[in-house]
Amino acid sequence: MDDPTDRDGERRREPRKPKPPRKVSPRYLENAALHYLKRYAATVSQLKRVLMRRVDRSVKFHGGDRAEAVGWVDALAEKLIRNNLINDGAYAETKAHSLRASGRSARVITQKLRMKGVAQELVQQKVAEATQDVSEDAAALIWARKKRLGPFRRDPSTRADNRQRDLAALARAGFSFTIAKRVIDGTADEAPLRR
């Protein structure tokens, strides 16, 4: 008795069933990796995670040897590194500099790069390079301006009332109390301090 039309007389659409995953092969994984790298900058670890999700869905649906597919993913990653299509160093450098220029603290940059699977030594090196271009104080000023904290508040009369809140916001953004205090108690016309 279920009428396939709704009140307006139009046919209701049946919900689409999800497409089954494709069966993985070395060729399929390479095409998927290249397509992903065209769209996103990625680390080796990140790309492997993306490909392993495809492998796991395929093995669950079609069956097959997961260990063999893991070997294909590892071999593909090595090939992409050899051909310089994926480079953790270049990724970390670009990401560290862009995050620093947008006012992120060294702690936040370190955390984001580690979450992407970049090696600890490489993270430290790239964060140090980014800090040479934009100091921690300058980054805190950029962040305060962006979030309208302290001297950058729209209504300067509320600055004193919101001092603790602004200090806490800079602390949550990864800046030390000393730097947060210097920025929040400073003036808006201070030029970003570069090292």
Side-chain angles (χ1 to χ4, degrees), residues 5-160:
T5 60
D6 61 10
R7 280 188 273 164
D8 298 330
E10 294 182 20
R11 291 189 66 79
R12 281 186 296 196
R13 291 187 182 168
E14 293 295 321
R16 271 200 260 179
K17 292 182 182 176
K19 287 174 32 178
R22 299 219 1 227
K23 189 167 179 152
V24 292
S25 66
R27 174 84 177 196
Y28 169 74
L29 289 172
E30 185 172 352
N31 288 340
L34 293 175
H35 181 71
Y36 185 81
L37 291 173
K38 271 191 224 172
R39 298 180 71 202
Y40 307 105
T43 63
V44 174
S45 171
Q46 210 176 349
L47 181 65
K48 282 184 174 184
R49 272 196 305 268
V50 168
L51 295 176
M52 286 311 300
R53 280 196 303 264
R54 289 176 183 252
V55 165
D56 290 337
R57 281 195 305 261
S58 174
V59 167
K60 184 178 178 182
F61 189 83
H62 298 288
D65 186 12
R66 185 178 190 278
E68 182 182 27
V70 169
W72 295 339
V73 170
D74 291 339
L76 176 60
E78 289 172 20
K79 178 180 175 182
L80 293 172
I81 291 168
R82 268 194 323 272
N83 293 328
N84 207 23
L85 292 174
I86 193 163
N87 183 335
D88 282 2
Y91 176 87
E93 183 174 352
T94 303
K95 195 74 166 168
H97 282 280
S98 70
L99 287 171
R100 185 54 115 173
S102 72
R104 298 303 174 98
S105 68
R107 283 187 195 132
V108 168
I109 296 169
T110 300
Q111 181 184 19
K112 286 185 178 286
L113 290 176
R114 293 294 294 143
M115 286 173 55
K116 296 292 184 180
V118 179
Q120 183 65 35
E121 306 81 43
L122 191 56
V123 169
Q124 289 172 344
Q125 176 190 351
K126 297 307 177 183
V127 169
E129 289 173 9
T131 301
Q132 287 176 350
D133 292 342
V134 179
S135 70
E136 193 81 352
D137 286 338
L141 264 173
I142 292 167
W143 191 254
R145 184 179 305 121
K146 204 179 217 181
K147 298 297 179 180
R148 298 189 178 279
L149 304 174
F152 302 103
R153 285 199 162 273
R154 284 195 175 126
D155 185 1
S157 64
T158 63
R159 184 173 172 185

